[in-house]
Amino acid sequence: MGIPMNGLRDMKAILANERKIGGAIEAAFLRLRSGEEYRNVCIVHIDQLGAQYYSVGFVTEQGERMVVNVHDISVISAPEHKKIRELNNVAYKREAIHNKRRYLKRLFDIYQGSYTVHFWQEAKMIIDDIGVEALSPELSLLVSNVQDQAARTA
C-alpha cells in the first residue's frame, strides 16, 4: 500500500526528491478529456512554469510514454507513492528496476572498497525500493560482501 497523493504539488515534490526517497507515483487510472483511459499509469514528470502546472508525463502499462497538457486530463484516480517493487505497471517497473540496478552498480564502482555510512544508507534505500530478489547475482555478491564488512567493523 502506497502513500496517497493530494495533488500535483505533492507529486512534483516526490519526483524532485526521488533519489533521496525512492519509489514512484502510480495512479489507478488516468482519464483524458477525450475519454481515453489508462490504467496503472506511472507519473514520471510534471512541468511547471511559475505557479502554473502545464503538463504531466506518464508511462502506460504498455510502456508508452505520454506527455499531456494538464487541461487535457479529466481524472487522475488514486495516485500513490509506492516502492518500485510494489508497482502494478509492469512496463515501468521493469525499466525502473533496471535503472536502479545500474545506479547501484555505479555506486559500488565509485566507492570500490571504501564503503562509507552514506554509501550504505543509499544502497540500502535502493535495495529496499526494488527488493532483494531484483538484484543481479553480481550485485547480490557485492551487497553481501559489504554487509559482512559492516558486521565485522561494528
Side-chain angles (χ1 to χ4, degrees):
M1 185 72 183
I3 299 167
M5 302 278 94
N6 294 317
L8 292 176
R9 186 178 350 167
D10 287 354
M11 291 181 215
K12 177 90 172 160
I14 294 291
L15 293 171
N17 295 298
E18 185 275 329
R19 185 171 161 236
K20 295 177 189 171
I21 59 177
I25 300 169
E26 184 176 60
F29 69 88
L30 184 141
R31 184 180 308 129
L32 300 178
R33 289 197 188 277
S34 62
E36 296 170 271
E37 192 170 293
Y38 302 95
R39 299 223 167 267
N40 298 317
V41 298
C42 287
I43 310 289
V44 294
H45 196 78
I46 297 175
D47 287 314
Q48 179 180 16
L49 184 60
Q52 297 293 325
Y53 297 101
Y54 62 90
S55 70
V56 174
F58 61 93
V59 179
T60 67
E61 285 185 309
Q62 290 73 34
E64 259 185 287
R65 291 186 168 275
M66 299 183 78
V67 178
V68 296
N69 188 292
V70 292
H71 298 296
D72 293 330
I73 298 173
S74 177
V75 175
I76 300 176
S77 177
E80 294 180 325
H81 176 231
K82 297 179 174 181
K83 294 189 181 299
I84 291 172
R85 62 190 157 126
E86 298 170 347
L87 294 176
N88 296 318
N89 184 327
V90 178
Y92 184 72
K93 182 178 182 177
R94 188 178 323 115
E95 177 185 328
I97 286 174
H98 172 74
N99 291 338
K100 289 286 186 172
R101 267 194 243 151
R102 198 172 69 218
Y103 180 73
L104 185 59
K105 174 71 172 100
R106 286 183 64 208
L107 271 180
F108 274 100
D109 291 345
I110 289 168
Y111 281 89
Q112 280 186 341
S114 59
Y115 306 117
T116 64
V117 172
H118 301 292
F119 159 81
W120 188 233
Q121 288 173 340
E122 188 166 4
K124 283 193 317 189
M125 190 270 306
I126 292 169
I127 294 164
D128 182 49
D129 198 13
I130 65 175
V132 176
E133 62 280 347
L135 294 176
S136 66
E138 177 188 7
L139 282 174
S140 292
L141 182 63
L142 289 170
V143 168
S144 65
N145 288 342
V146 171
Q147 284 176 327
D148 290 344
Q149 278 182 350
R152 277 186 261 138
T153 59

